[in-house]
Amino acid sequence: GVGQFCTNPGLVFAVDGPALQTFTGKLGEWFEQAAPGTMLNPSIAKNYEERFQNAAAVKNTQAKCATRTADPRRTEGRPGSLTTDAATWLANHALHEEIFGPATLLVRCSSPQQLLECSRALDGTLTATVHGTPEEIGQNGALLEILTQKAGRVLFNGFPTGVEVSSAMHHGGPYPATTDERFTSVGTTAIYRFARPICYQNAPEAVLPAELKNANPLGIWRTVDGVLSRNPL
């Protein structure tokens, strides 16, 4: 989708070390080999390129882009990765902003403590993903506690683009991810985003809407005294 998903993994944090250095090198290679792709419209493609270049211009930030040139006639976006250190990321809120398109910013943290500092500085987001062994995840309870306050969905060893339409799904999050984090836009309760509750208390049967009439003429499921039923009252 050329990075045009609201759950595109565009911001990555990791503790520095030999393993991360190897990963960073491979990540740069993958982005250099990636092919540009057509974005939704010329304005989105233009904004993506401008935001990427603005982030790349921040001091102590390195960029790796696809070697193939994007075709402006096809409104293509050129994939690119950005790498910086945690101190630079914390000091530049512009790096916190989403780059809508095929870009990923990798932030190197010098220690687990600095990783926690970065997580506290996050704005509200739809998703947060933790990659690690069961032992590593179990040892990072403080990080998980912060992420549950920052994201509407916390994933483990996966990627956030998969949104299951089920009663367990929550696709929302603290502002600015959504304007009201109590509701989901995907899942069996998504309709409640567009509904306003109203109570008919002690109303005569004749004025009740069909959904509430004792005979249940629509044959719908209703909760009566805490029990789900389709029976008439």
Side-chain angles (χ1 to χ4, degrees):
V2 202
Q4 297 173 109
F5 285 92
C6 54
T7 54
N8 175 50
L11 190 57
V12 178
F13 297 90
V15 177
D16 212 349
L20 180 61
Q21 293 170 14
T22 300
F23 174 77
T24 303
K26 292 297 296 183
L27 185 68
E29 291 177 13
W30 293 330
F31 270 96
E32 288 178 328
Q33 296 165 9
T38 298
M39 302 191 76
L40 293 171
N41 58 55
S43 178
I44 288 178
K46 179 174 178 289
N47 288 338
Y48 164 70
E49 182 65 22
E50 289 178 353
R51 281 183 171 271
F52 186 90
Q53 294 304 329
N54 289 340
V58 174
K59 187 178 180 180
N60 297 326
T61 300
Q62 298 79 43
K64 287 287 186 76
C65 297
T67 54
R68 212 182 89 190
T69 305
D71 185 350
R73 296 170 300 177
R74 297 172 57 87
T75 62
E76 288 185 338
R78 187 169 61 144
S81 67
L82 299 159
T83 306
T84 192
D85 57 86
T88 300
W89 184 82
L90 288 167
N92 291 271
H93 195 269
L95 294 178
H96 299 209
E97 299 292 333
E98 177 185 24
I99 302 175
F100 186 73
T104 292
L105 171 61
L106 175 64
V107 181
R108 303 185 309 272
C109 300
S110 61
S111 66
Q113 291 71 30
Q114 194 172 51
L115 181 63
L116 290 178
E117 185 181 1
C118 288
S119 65
R120 295 187 186 98
L122 286 169
D123 292 325
T125 183
L126 291 173
T127 66
T129 302
V130 179
H131 289 276
T133 65
E135 292 76 16
E136 290 169 336
I137 293 172
Q139 293 166 2
N140 283 274
L143 174 63
L144 300 181
E145 179 62 28
I146 295 170
L147 295 182
T148 60
Q149 302 302 313
K150 298 289 184 175
R153 180 157 55 111
V154 182
L155 299 87
F156 298 87
N157 292 324
F159 292 91
T161 47
V163 182
E164 180 73 23
V165 181
S166 68
S167 56
M169 176 53 59
H170 183 80
H171 189 60
Y175 183 84
T178 52
T179 53
D180 194 330
E181 62 188 280
R182 297 173 298 171
F183 298 103
T184 178
S185 61
V186 178
T188 56
T189 60
I191 188 63
Y192 291 123
R193 297 180 71 203
F194 309 99
R196 181 180 68 86
I198 183 169
C199 171
Y200 290 84
Q201 183 171 335
N202 202 34
E205 173 80 7
V207 303
L208 288 174
E211 292 85 353
L212 298 180
K213 290 187 180 297
N214 288 342
N216 191 14
L218 301 180
I220 62 174
W221 288 99
R222 306 186 298 184
T223 301
V224 181
D225 295 331
V227 179
L228 196 64
S229 172
R230 296 177 67 179
N231 298 328
L233 300 182

